[in-house]
DNA sequence: AATGAATGAGAGTTCATTCAT
DNA sequence: GATGAATGAACTCTCATTCAT
């Protein structure tokens, strides 16, 4: 009944925020990009409900009309943002994983990327881990989908590790979910407490998690990871245009 | 900011919802209790923001006036509810822990109670794990406090386990937080997926968590726990009046 | 899901605007009455769409909250108003009819009351005949219902007139509808042209309509009607204001 | 008020919609024609206010820019449409009248054309009789102008009928207005009720109206009219599409 | 002639909260 | 203690209109 809007393409151009956006011509759809950036800032700063569409419009220097031209609703821009941020994280993980050989090393690398990304992009972490929670069935489903995808990556490599004989046979689904939960909790607390380096907890966490899957002491990737820490995969507060 | 009312005892711990309430004369402050029950139902069903004070008033068969007589704001009743539900959970944990001797056994017992409680009281789980997230600094602090208290209990007994020599020395703070996160994730997914028995995952989870602290294979409390499962500590959907 | 509102009782207290309201304690629901009065003024002055809820609120010296406390929507207050005005008109007609004996005289009396009422209450006429048109299926149905009821009264008495032998057998349904349409057209034009006395056209109209049903020259009620004109049944701009 | 554009020829009478459009090269101003057609459909389907310019643009497969190139505003296209549809009706009436000799026969022919046209073109009827009502002074004036023109035609021939001696002297202005109103009411109800043949009521209506002007039983044109019914002057749903 | 991105005033509605009774 | 009418700020969303291309 209402004319279709050309936005809300949940699939399309997934990472409008993040790396790929850095590469693509930044002038592609500048208004839409500005809105997404502003939305990220505002949602991270005030939370979903306290963020008014007017706030986003003001922060983006565009207009209400532009907002609703590109996004059919406040929820729609939030979903788009979740997708973009989730994709940004996943891309980082995939890249880190690709650099490693062994299944365990891959899984450790993923772990490191998550902490690095959270530390470099508090806004991303806050939006995905805190502000996206409890927003109703639709957004909850989206959020769980992201968790599920991330846990899926971990699980896949845990399965390989079992095949490789690096770790004993086990319930890798549960292990992957538990890892995700552990990361979630650590990052959430770090966000709330607002001090200290999140990366500082990586070694202890790595030990804990490797132990949990029966791989204690076998972590052969330590050297590599510390390199990673020195040259983080996601620049601080980078990745969204600029 | 707003004139304080005698009803906003944020500290409470008065578990007006839960066990003790079952014991105390149910007619004590029936209006207040009705409001809290209704609030629990409504918040669990619709979430914090979608739940209108009018909804709670309607569900409680009381009045707006009564609501604001007992609670200074919507947020206040939510905090009271969080406190009550957190206390209910903690009470269950303390009781379970008291029944066990060894530090490790205590920690396992706590674990079991959490899953049992979540299963028996979806509303409680939903409110504490989902609906209480992302409601702003004040409520976030409250939520983290509950997490912290729970993690504190676990940590305390992990420390004892180290002293006892049951597990090697380690970063017990991180372990406790990671445990909390793992539980959170498992329960949250179970809530969303809505099917299956949560308790069914307990054995695998126990193995996973014990391994994570270097206690693999030492779990001597298996027999006990199964008893616990047969006589759950929290009755399904019990504890909040009705 | 939403608590029922005690207003929007389409049936109840039908003529809150008009005669009965004059009789009932005026302090009954003063806010609601003020809103209805204001709505009548504003709708008559600006039309349905151009009338903002804010206008009604401002004119009524109440508040948006009060508005939505008593009426679930802008459309709802308009419907209530249509009902009230329709009832006011009907009451006038019934009263006039009751005073006459012969079927034809009754029908003529009804005719007179309509013109009198329109002249005394331009706002009523404007709302029922102009502003209520083209507002969508729901309101259109309501509007037609009022027309139908009015035509029904006329038809009933035309049937009696046929039985009495005052007029020849004929399609009284069509005649009644045509009369309603003729009145509608005359009043609508008078509203638009804004000058002249509507009542001045009554004699010609009466002749025309009586002729149309084959009753030419038999109008025995002329004397009476002129009395009616001298003591109008509806006071100018009375009945809702007070 | 707003800079005049060359497309707002409010006078028009250019029946871009309707017969003449069928004759003129259909490719003359195809965009404008498409817009008018779409506007007719959309206004008839949703009503003036619910019809968004975007709807018209979408239905016409053109663009917002094209819309405002040809019409200065939403109201302007509606006025153009009213003019076109009014002209279409008038043309039909004039043609029918031209075929008759006697004044009364002419007037009866006009009557028949109106019912035929309404039946063949519900959209036209809906727009002129329902959706055009209550749209503010400007459009109200336009609407009354159309009514007045139509009533004028009837009146003129009633006057002739008086001169001819076919009917007694009378207030032909009032009679003409009443006729218009009666037709309006009948068609409006038929539109709302959506069933039955409008033409079926023509005989009764003709009798009623002839009686009303004192011409009962004199209708000499019955034979002719039935011809007309067999070969309707306006093809069903024709005249605007193509 | 034609496009559609952009504008922004303004709409209806919600709802936490107050307060006279 | 309890009621519910009343308040009004704030919200999301719509849509006629403009204008650079």
């Amino acid at each position: 009944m209402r004319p279709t809007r050309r936005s809300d393409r949940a699939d399309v151009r997934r990472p409008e925020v993040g790396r790929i956006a850095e590469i693509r011509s930044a002038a592609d759809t500048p208004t839409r990009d500005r809105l997404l950036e502003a939305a990220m800032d505002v949602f991270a700063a005030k939370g979903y409900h306290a963020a008014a569409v007017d706030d986003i419009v003001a922060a983006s220097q565009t207009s209400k009309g532009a907002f609703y031209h590109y996004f059919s609703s406040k929820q729609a821009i939030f979903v788009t943002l979740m997708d973009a941020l989730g994709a940004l994280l996943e891309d980082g993980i995939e890249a880190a994983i690709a650099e490693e050989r062994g299944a365990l090393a891959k899984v450790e690398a993923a772990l490191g990327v998550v902490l690095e990304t959270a530390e470099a992009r508090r806004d991303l972490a806050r939006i995905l881990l805190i502000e996206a929670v409890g927003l109703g069935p639709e957004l909850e489903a989206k959020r769980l989908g992201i968790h599920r995808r991330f846990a899926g990556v971990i699980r896949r490599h845990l399965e390989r590790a079992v095949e490789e004989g690096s770790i004993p046979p086990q319930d890798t689904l549960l292990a992957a979910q538990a890892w995700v939960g552990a990361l979630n909790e650590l990052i959430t607390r770090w966000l709330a407490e607002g001090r200290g380096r999140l990366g500082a907890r990586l070694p202890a966490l790595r030990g804990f998690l490797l132990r949990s899957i029966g791989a204690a002491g076998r972590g052969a990737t330590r050297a590599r990871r510390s390199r990673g820490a020195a040259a983080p995969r996601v620049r601080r507060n980078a990745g969204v245009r600029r």
Side-chain angles (χ1 to χ4, degrees), chain A:
Chain A
M1 194 123 286
R2 184 159 301 136
T4 327
R5 300 178 181 230
R6 68 175 277 274
S7 43
D8 299 350
R9 294 153 305 194
D11 47 329
V12 195
R13 261 188 288 142
R14 260 257 250 40
E16 42 290 85
V17 170
R19 276 181 182 162
I20 296 189
E22 291 166 8
I23 294 164
R24 280 196 306 109
S25 151
D28 212 326
T29 51
T31 302
R32 186 170 190 268
D33 288 349
R34 287 233 302 284
L35 281 164
L36 273 171
E37 279 177 46
M40 187 168 50
D41 292 343
V42 174
F43 283 134
K46 312 181 101 177
Y48 182 79
H49 278 104
V53 171
D54 270 328
D55 294 335
I56 297 173
V57 164
S60 68
Q61 311 257 61
T62 63
S63 68
K64 270 251 206 31
F67 183 98
Y68 283 97
H69 182 70
Y70 286 109
F71 304 98
S72 60
S73 67
K74 180 179 163 184
Q75 176 166 317
I77 199 177
F78 193 81
V79 167
T80 304
L81 200 52
M82 284 180 73
D83 278 330
L85 296 178
L88 179 61
L89 183 62
E90 276 184 84
D91 289 352
I93 290 168
E94 297 294 355
I97 278 178
E99 287 180 19
E100 304 291 342
R101 286 279 114 209
L104 269 192
K106 281 174 186 289
V107 115
E108 282 186 67
L111 186 67
V113 167
V114 171
L115 291 194
E116 279 168 21
T117 304
E119 194 149 20
R121 296 287 308 270
R122 276 184 103 99
D123 51 359
L124 177 156
R126 170 166 290 279
I127 287 173
L128 289 182
L129 298 185
I130 298 184
E131 304 305 346
V133 183
L135 299 186
E138 206 164 337
L139 293 190
E140 200 66 6
K142 173 114 279 170
R143 181 173 75 91
L144 286 177
I146 292 176
H147 278 222
R148 220 187 312 262
R149 274 212 304 281
F150 177 44
V153 171
I154 295 182
R155 186 188 187 190
R156 199 154 49 246
H157 291 99
L158 289 183
E159 289 286 354
R160 295 227 181 106
V162 171
E163 286 163 20
E164 282 178 4
S166 317
I167 57 172
Q170 60 193 277
D171 185 338
T172 54
L173 174 61
L174 180 134
Q177 289 177 358
W179 281 38
V180 169
L183 284 169
N184 184 351
E185 183 75 14
L186 253 57
I187 298 171
T188 297
R189 298 184 80 99
W190 171 77
L191 284 172
E193 284 152 7
R195 53 193 159 65
R197 293 266 288 106
L198 185 54
R201 305 193 78 181
L202 179 56
L205 179 62
R206 191 196 303 130
F208 174 89
L209 292 180
L210 289 178
R211 237 182 284 129
S212 74
I213 55 172
R218 285 188 255 187
T221 54
R222 237 156 301 173
R224 266 195 155 114
R225 284 286 68 225
S226 59
R227 247 205 301 129
R233 277 173 177 79
V234 177
R235 277 175 291 129
R236 284 191 183 246
N237 289 319
V240 188
R241 213 68 26 187
R242 195 156 348 214

